[in-house]
Amino acid sequence: MNDAEPLPATLLDRIKNAIAALEKHEEIRIISHYDADGIASAGVICNALLRRGKSFQASMIKNLDAKAIAQFASEIDSGCLILSDMGSSYLDELEKIEGTVIVLDHHAPPRDSDKVFHINPHLFGLDGMTAASASAVCQLFATQMDAANWDLLPIAFAGIVGDRQHIRGLKGINEYLLTEGLSKGIVEVHEGSIIPNGKIGDALFYSVDPYFSGLSADEKGVADFLASININPEMSVDQLNESERRKIASLLALKLMKQGCTLGTLEEISHERFYFKRLQLYASDLASMLNACGRTDNEGIGLGVTLNDEQSITEAMVLRKKYKETILTSLKNLEKKGLTKLSNIQFFYSDNPNISGTVCGLAMQYLADRDKPTIAISIGDEESRVSSRATFEILEKGVDLSVAIGESARVVGGSGGGHAIASGATIPKGKENEFLEYLDRMVGEQKRKKLGA
Ligand code: C5P
């Protein structure tokens, strides 16, 4: 591959200034998001701090708000607070904190700060949605602390892949990390395939991304499919010969096209894979482990995985299997029930808010109408949680879910945000219909605005 664009000197300067401020503290408080990218971000930072002889306390949380920030401020007592994969939207509150505050975020920030060390790719001309995961920002921070931290690259890549920033090729900071990782012999790029890895029977049955309608979580479907092409379900995908491999790949592609996937999505599914030889694992393996930990309220185990704790790794593998089964069951139910369509969006109710983001994303890709953003609503005791996902094609039509979800939530007394393609909110219970109606209108307006532009 070509050399990546050099990183902006102003970004590196800001990182160096933040590191200089951090070095004055012995104890560091770390707050990060609970998803795969958030856990990977905390993992990179915790490893780097451990090696530096610093002590730390890390927490992964679902949502940041003013109350939580006040709590963290009281805990650090003029010390050092690092926020990763969050923080850029709370500068007003963070600037009031006595002590050193470092934000390593990649969500579009409303502004910059003179007081907080605000390290966010958007401030340096790089798109945080496609060109830098939070873990990539943290990896840059860690390698600026000490070049020995390049070996943390697998963790950073778990965040990149967990946030699906690789599906259209790596850019910006992500690409820089890959170029450096290749030249240092840390990472290898392997060709991708639509055929999932492992024993072919199990691989198809457990396939979540892609979700193959009639194969995923369908024992009879898999058995009939493999019997029809004379393939032993016990055979490993690596043992398939070229013609078997091609035959299966074409049939699976056809299946996905029938489910409404575009050629673009098929290309995205077969994206390149990042292999870490020393650990003998793909970035996607680590990403799925961290994701399962975060989405089952086991963030601590996820952090343990990044710290190479053997027991955590064993537990995370069990969690990953169970989590996959839960997602598959939800997708199967959703496939049966279908989604409710409004003029510009489609939605479904989910009874497990922790997995709605993932199910929403997979439904958008493999089950739903690809022209409308997909919204998942989970009704809680006092408030309801919202997850939303779009496709790049929908974004090209002018839709920005971060803006639409954020404003629709505010209108009904809630709050939210995220990225243009993946966004979330919390709204008061009972306001779901009002929220959906407003959102539907707003997405329509965003599209009309683009058409008129
Ligand atoms: O929870 P989910 O995976 O759907 O979140 C998608 C994105 O929306 C994340 O980037 C998250 O930070 C953001 N989000 C938010 N406010 C919320 C919920 C999610 O900004 N209340």
Side-chain angles (χ1 to χ4, degrees), residues 139-155:
Q139 178 68 31
L140 202 56
F141 188 90
T143 48
Q144 291 295 314
M145 271 176 88
D146 190 334
N149 289 329
W150 272 108
D151 67 349
L152 303 176
L153 204 60
I155 309 172

Side-chain angles (χ1 to χ4, degrees), residues 23-42:
E23 293 290 10
K24 297 186 188 129
H25 301 274
E26 289 315 311
E27 287 175 18
I28 318 289
R29 183 78 172 100
I30 301 156
I31 308 297
S32 197
H33 195 215
Y34 79 117
D35 69 1
D37 188 26
I39 301 175
S41 301

Side-chain angles (χ1 to χ4, degrees), residues 252-264:
L252 292 179
L254 214 65
K255 230 175 215 312
L256 289 179
M257 300 219 20
K258 276 195 197 147
Q259 284 170 236
C261 289
T262 58
L263 273 178

